[in-house]
Amino acid sequence: MAIKIRIAKSAKELNDVYRLRHSVYQADGSFQNTAHDYIIDLYDSVPNCINIIAYSEETAVGTMRVTVENEIGTAADESFDFTPYKNKIRQQALDENTTPPVFASSGMLAIAEEWRNRRDVFRALLRMAVDVGHSLNVSHIIATVNAKTIGIYKRLGWEILSDEIWIEEIGSHIIAVATPLVNMYNWAFNMLAEQKTLLDHFSGCFRWYLLDGATTIFEQDSYGDKAYLITKGGVDIACRYKENAELLSLAKLGPGDMFGELSLIDEAPRSASATTIGNTELLVIDRETFWQKIQENTTYLRDLMEILSKRLRSADERALLYAHATLEERMVYFIKNLRQNAVIDPKNPNQRIAKVSTTDFASMALATPEEAETHLAKLEAQNLIKRSKHAITFIEKD
C-alpha cells in the first residue's frame, strides 16, 4: 500500500481537502451546523495559504493547512491572542539585530478515522508542513491544537502558551502552542543532513511517499521522471544483467540516501529496480519541478552535479564492499558512515544521533538482524554507542 502526500493545487485536490475536513469534523462532533458537505473559511483564500493532502490510491485520507501571517493575522489568531508571544519574539530579533520573524500557523488537521492509528501519516503531514514553512521563510509556527493531542506537541518541544480553552463552535478544548521552525526542521530532516543543499534548493517542491515493505518503486528498463530521498526504512537496488537472469542486489540504501536521480537529467530507462525493505518513507521530486527550479537559478544544476558526483563515488565504494568485503568489514564501514552523517544532539553536544534502527543497519550491511544486534551490542558494551528503538547515538570521546 502507498500513501502519497502533496500540496493541493488542482480544483479536485482542494475539493478533497474541504470535504475531508467536513467528514472528519462532523464525525468528531465538530462543525455540526455546516450547511454544506465541505468546510472552507476566509484563510483558504488568502495569499500564502498552503493545503497539504494525503491520498491512499485515489482516496483522500489526511490534510493539514499552513497560513503565513498577513494583514488579517493567521487562522490560529481567531481562537487565541498570540500578540504577547509575537511581540516577545520580535523584540528578541531587535535586541539581537537579526532578521524580523515571520509567523505562520498550522492547523485544519483532519485524518480519516481508519488512518488515525497510522502515526506515519500525521508525521509526514507535519514534516511536509515544516518544509512548506521553510520554503516561505517562516521563522516561528503558532497553532491552537486539540487538548487531547497536546502530548504530541510536548514531545516535539513546542512551547505551551495557554491552559485549556473551550471553543463552543468545535465543541472541544484547545491549547495554544508555538515553536521556532528551526526546531521542527531539525526534527523533520535530521536524517538528511548530507543533502542540505538539495533540501534548501527544492524546499516546498517535494512530495512524501509512505510505502509498505516489498513495494516496487520502479523496475529496471522502465521510464521514470522522479528522484527519491530515503527518510525512513530502506531500499534494495537490484538489476538483471541479461533477460531472465537472476535479480542481483547492487546496494541496500538507508535513511539519507538518494536514488533515481539520473531520471532528472535524461529520459533513458532505469538501469536497475528499486524495492522497499520494510516500511519506508521517501521524499520525492519530479523532473518538471526540478527543471523549473533550475531555470530560476542555474547554480542549482552545478550543486546537483556535485551531489551526483558524490553519489557515484559512494555507489562505487558500496559495489566493491558488497562484492568483496567480509561481514565484519561491511558493518564497520556502515557504522563509520552513520557516525559521519549523524546529527549533533541538541541536548548533548558530545553525542551524535543517527535515526536508524537495528533492522535498518542490518539491511545496509547485508547482515541478519541477529548479526547486526551482536555487532551493535558489542559497541554498546564498549560505551561507543547507545541505542533506542529507532536511533543509534554515537558517544564522542574527549
Side-chain angles (χ1 to χ4, degrees):
M1 183 177 294
I3 297 175
K4 298 183 178 181
I5 304 173
R6 57 183 179 265
I7 294 174
K9 295 180 179 179
S10 70
K12 178 189 181 304
E13 290 167 345
L14 290 168
N15 182 58
D16 288 343
V17 166
Y18 306 145
R19 293 183 185 278
L20 179 60
R21 289 178 188 170
H22 182 272
S23 65
V24 171
Y25 297 157
Q26 185 179 55
D28 286 349
S30 307
F31 297 97
Q32 291 184 347
N33 297 322
T34 54
H36 308 283
D37 60 353
Y38 54 84
I39 291 176
I40 184 171
D41 66 18
L42 169 66
Y43 294 93
D44 287 307
S45 64
V46 299
N48 287 338
C49 170
I50 308 294
N51 280 294
I52 300 165
I53 189 160
Y55 286 101
S56 174
E57 302 299 335
E58 297 300 316
T59 302
V61 300
T63 182
M64 177 180 277
R65 182 174 71 183
V66 176
T67 55
V68 179
E69 185 178 42
N70 51 56
E71 294 89 341
I72 61 172
T74 73
D77 293 295
E78 292 288 307
S79 48
F80 180 77
D81 183 7
F82 284 90
T83 303
Y85 174 78
K86 292 179 185 178
N87 287 342
K88 180 185 74 171
I89 300 302
R90 291 187 179 112
Q91 188 60 51
Q92 287 176 356
L94 282 172
D95 294 343
E96 297 168 8
N97 195 27
T98 56
T99 304
V102 177
F103 297 96
S105 72
S106 63
M108 282 293 189
L109 173 66
I111 299 177
E113 184 176 6
E114 60 270 32
W115 294 92
R116 289 179 199 169
N117 62 339
R118 288 281 301 263
R119 293 184 180 179
D120 54 344
V121 175
F122 169 72
R123 287 197 305 266
L125 286 168
L126 188 54
R127 283 185 169 120
M128 192 162 187
V130 169
D131 183 48
V132 166
H134 181 68
S135 72
L136 297 171
N137 298 314
V138 170
S139 63
H140 291 77
I141 311 171
I142 58 175
T144 53
V145 302
N146 191 306
K148 296 177 182 178
T149 65
I150 193 61
I152 298 171
Y153 297 90
K154 285 181 177 179
R155 287 194 293 274
L156 290 171
W158 288 54
E159 184 178 350
I160 310 301
L161 301 181
S162 76
D163 296 326
E164 292 187 6
I165 303 168
W166 176 257
I167 303 296
E168 188 66 36
E169 182 184 5
I170 64 174
S172 63
H173 288 92
I174 64 164
I175 295 176
V177 295
T179 185
L181 184 127
V182 65
N183 293 351
M184 290 302 298
Y185 194 82
N186 290 338
W187 165 80
F189 297 106
N190 63 0
M191 76 296 289
L192 300 177
E194 283 281 292
Q195 308 291 356
K196 185 180 185 305
T197 298
L198 189 72
L199 290 175
D200 286 342
H201 286 349
F202 297 97
S203 183
C205 299
F206 296 106
R207 298 183 178 190
W208 288 83
Y209 285 5
L210 311 181
L211 305 175
D212 291 343
T215 298
T216 299
I217 302 165
F218 55 75
E219 294 183 340
Q220 184 177 350
D221 297 325
S222 65
Y223 290 87
D225 64 349
K226 297 177 179 63
Y228 307 84
L229 277 167
I230 304 171
T231 63
K232 181 183 177 183
V235 172
D236 180 29
I237 305 296
C239 75
R240 291 184 174 88
Y241 288 107
K242 60 181 180 180
E243 190 175 357
N244 299 323
E246 182 180 352
L247 200 63
L248 176 64
S249 179
L250 300 177
K252 305 285 187 182
L253 306 181
D257 285 327
M258 184 178 184
F259 64 97
E261 63 271 29
L262 289 178
S263 68
L264 299 178
I265 307 299
D266 62 33
E267 298 182 12
R270 303 279 194 184
S271 59
S273 300
T275 306
T276 59
I277 305 169
N279 294 339
T280 298
E281 297 180 9
L282 302 174
L283 209 57
V284 185
I285 187 166
D286 62 70
R287 184 190 300 140
E288 181 180 359
T289 302
F290 171 77
W291 283 107
Q292 285 176 354
K293 297 292 285 187
I294 293 298
Q295 289 169 6
E296 293 173 13
N297 190 334
T298 55
T299 61
Y300 290 5
L301 184 58
R302 180 198 64 199
D303 292 337
L304 180 70
M305 292 301 101
E306 291 180 3
I307 292 169
L308 289 177
S309 176
K310 291 178 182 178
R311 280 275 296 115
L312 290 171
R313 289 195 201 97
S314 177
D316 288 343
E317 281 184 5
R318 292 188 183 204
L320 288 170
L321 195 74
Y322 288 135
H324 303 292
T326 65
L327 172 62
E328 181 68 17
E329 288 170 336
R330 292 198 301 272
M331 291 196 288
V332 168
Y333 172 87
F334 282 104
I335 281 293
K336 180 181 177 181
N337 188 266
L338 287 173
R339 181 189 290 272
Q340 289 174 342
N341 295 327
V343 177
I344 294 175
D345 184 349
K347 298 179 181 178
N348 187 343
N350 291 322
Q351 296 183 167
R352 303 177 69 90
I353 301 174
K355 290 294 183 71
V356 175
S357 68
T358 299
T359 302
D360 292 334
F361 173 69
S363 296
M364 291 177 191
L366 290 184
T368 66
E370 293 75 19
E371 290 167 337
E373 172 67 30
T374 298
H375 186 81
L376 294 175
K378 181 174 68 175
L379 296 178
E380 196 165 27
Q382 296 170 358
N383 200 33
L384 297 174
I385 66 169
K386 294 188 296 185
R387 286 185 293 161
S388 62
K389 186 175 181 180
H390 300 295
I392 297 174
T393 299
F394 294 93
I395 303 169
E396 304 294 336
K397 298 295 185 181
D398 295 331

